[in-house]
Amino acid sequence: RVPVVDAWGELFAEQPLAATICLSRGKWEVLEHLLAKHADEQLLITVERCEQARLIAATFGLIPIDGSVPAAQLKDYLERFRRRKIRALVATHILDDSADFPELSVMIQMGGFFS
């Protein structure tokens, strides 16, 4: 066993293992770096699992988009994202085929089967 230390230990202790299993410490560090580097740009972060979207959203103060978001709320989020009222979204494969963001400048794929 490799010990998890500092704030990472607290984060992993509070979250279900299923949500953290595909989001290693290295991925978290890279994500933090990319969010800081592209702080003024429009971002879309894609993940495979709902739990991952919610974990990233809660950690970084972003909006998670997954199958539990009601259609009207999803439409509102996407419209606000297109108008740059929302800087970043964390999405599962729910946006695979349904969303078009020609103005999107950065997409971060944390895992999954996105094309």
Side-chain angles (χ1 to χ4, degrees):
R1 260 176 71 107
V2 176
V4 179
V5 296
D6 301 327
W8 293 108
E10 294 172 23
L11 176 67
F12 290 153
E14 295 172 7
Q15 303 299 329
L17 182 59
T20 60
I21 201 83
C22 295
L23 297 176
S24 67
R25 183 176 183 169
K27 284 185 179 184
W28 277 105
E29 290 171 353
V30 169
L31 180 58
E32 284 179 324
H33 170 77
L34 290 172
L35 289 174
K37 180 177 180 179
H38 299 286
D40 296 328
E41 298 177 67
Q42 198 162 14
L43 299 158
L44 177 61
I45 302 166
T46 60
V47 296
E48 185 175 353
R49 300 177 51 116
C50 297
E51 295 89 352
Q52 293 167 336
R54 294 176 194 145
L55 180 62
I56 291 170
T59 302
F60 296 105
L62 306 175
I63 294 176
I65 302 292
D66 60 40
S68 70
V69 177
Q73 189 174 19
L74 176 62
K75 183 178 178 181
D76 176 60
Y77 286 156
L78 296 180
E79 182 58 33
R80 289 171 44 206
F81 184 67
R82 285 186 182 98
R83 289 185 290 142
R84 297 184 175 267
K85 301 293 183 186
I86 296 174
R87 181 185 67 82
L89 296 173
V90 184
T92 62
H93 57 82
I94 192 168
L95 293 182
D96 276 358
D97 299 321
S98 61
D100 182 29
F101 302 109
E103 66 282 352
L104 183 67
S105 50
V106 179
M107 181 173 170
I108 303 168
Q109 183 175 338
M110 295 294 289
F113 304 99
F114 294 88
S115 54

